[in-house]
DNA sequence: TTAGTAGTTCCAATGTCGTGAACTACGGGA
DNA sequence: TCCCGTAGTTCACGACATTGGAACTACTAA
């Protein structure tokens, strides 16, 4: 098992962040982690947005989030604890994550409204 | 030649915007358009960031920017005039583009500083 | 030692991207 | 009207990324 890679704060790139958050599943995972007080395991996310996510796909998503510098992952026994690195990232790119998360939230709200309209 | 596709403002998605701006060349094109008072043609961008961009690649980049809703393109005779749709997009996702552009600018400045350091 | 849980790796199918070559579309002479 | 040059597009294909099932590792508890 290869070791977990976390980039140093100065190696985090805007392109990396945008690319990783341009996937709706990863954006949802990240939003949930950023909003959460405590760490969350991968298996917390096996079902999202009304569908099952295969374990292997989920594992890749977490790796991408980690290697883009958006989350920190630590193995604790059999499970993995994930937390958002939002404070660090916000220091490097002030306001970026906030704006993206807000836009995502707004889009989700709009989708919900459209759905209940029929 | 297929007609130019511009999504309606309500069909623009966050994922689309993030994906399209996660490419450094497209981000640079968009930043330049957004900063520009008047429309710019595609061939304005045949060389960017110290390298030549092939015409076909450039054409794809513009198509992606257009279909994500970030720019508006109009054919005028033999050339294409491109303008940013930043006001519309900012109305839909307030602050998003500003934050992304600011982060990009900061990263570019940092790269420049590192380069002149040696 | 065995069983169970959490997550990872491998691999094949599929999708996306970048690019050269050939193409379309338009305008301006001759 | 025909031809040429310019601006940009489309096509086709190789390179690379993503997905997800099967098999795997790593750890815990009984």
């Amino acid at each position: 098992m290869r070791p977990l890679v976390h980039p140093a704060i100065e190696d985090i790139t805007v392109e990396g962040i945008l690319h990783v958050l341009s996937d709706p599943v990863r954006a949802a995972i990240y939003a949930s982690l950023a909003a959460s007080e405590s760490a969350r395991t991968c298996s917390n996310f096996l079902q999202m947005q009304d569908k099952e996510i295969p374990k292997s796909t989920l594992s890749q998503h977490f790796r991408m989030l980690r290697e883009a510098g958006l989350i920190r992952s630590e193995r604790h026994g059999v499970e993995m604890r994930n937390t958002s690195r939002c404070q660090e990232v916000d220091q490097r790119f002030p306001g970026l994550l906030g704006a993206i998360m807000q836009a995502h939230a707004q889009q989700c709200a709009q989708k919900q409204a459209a759905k209940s309209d029929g």
Side-chain angles (χ1 to χ4, degrees), chain A residues 4 17-18 40 42 46 57 65 67 79-80 83 86 88 99 114:
Chain A
L4 302 178
I17 292 175
L18 298 188
R40 314 277 302 274
C42 298
L46 278 171
T57 304
L65 284 163
E67 296 186 355
E79 66 187 19
M80 187 101 132
T83 47
C86 54
E88 285 173 86

Side-chain angles (χ1 to χ4, degrees), chain A residues 25-114:
Chain A
V25 172
R26 283 193 299 261
I29 292 173
Y30 179 76
S32 175
L33 279 177
S36 179
E37 291 295 310
S38 54
R40 314 277 302 274
T41 64
C42 298
S43 50
N44 264 262
F45 299 92
L46 278 171
Q47 44 203 13
M48 300 208 67
Q49 304 168 339
D50 307 334
K51 61 176 179 178
E52 295 267 320
I53 316 274
K55 280 202 313 177
S56 57
T57 304
L58 205 56
S59 182
Q60 298 293 347
H61 283 330
F62 273 95
R63 188 167 64 84
M64 291 173 83
L65 284 163
R66 182 167 58 243
E67 296 186 355
L70 286 175
I71 67 172
R72 187 172 298 285
S73 311
E74 292 171 69
R75 282 194 242 270
H76 277 251
V78 77
E79 66 187 19
M80 187 101 132
R81 302 204 185 144
N82 301 284
T83 47
S84 136
R85 291 178 70 181
C86 54
Q87 283 167 22
E88 285 173 86
V89 178
D90 204 58
Q91 206 168 338
R92 179 152 162 77
F93 299 119
L96 179 62
L97 290 180
I100 296 175
M101 287 301 107
Q102 197 187 339
H104 260 293
Q106 187 189 317
Q107 186 173 281
C108 288
Q110 228 152 11
K111 259 186 221 164
Q112 286 301 320

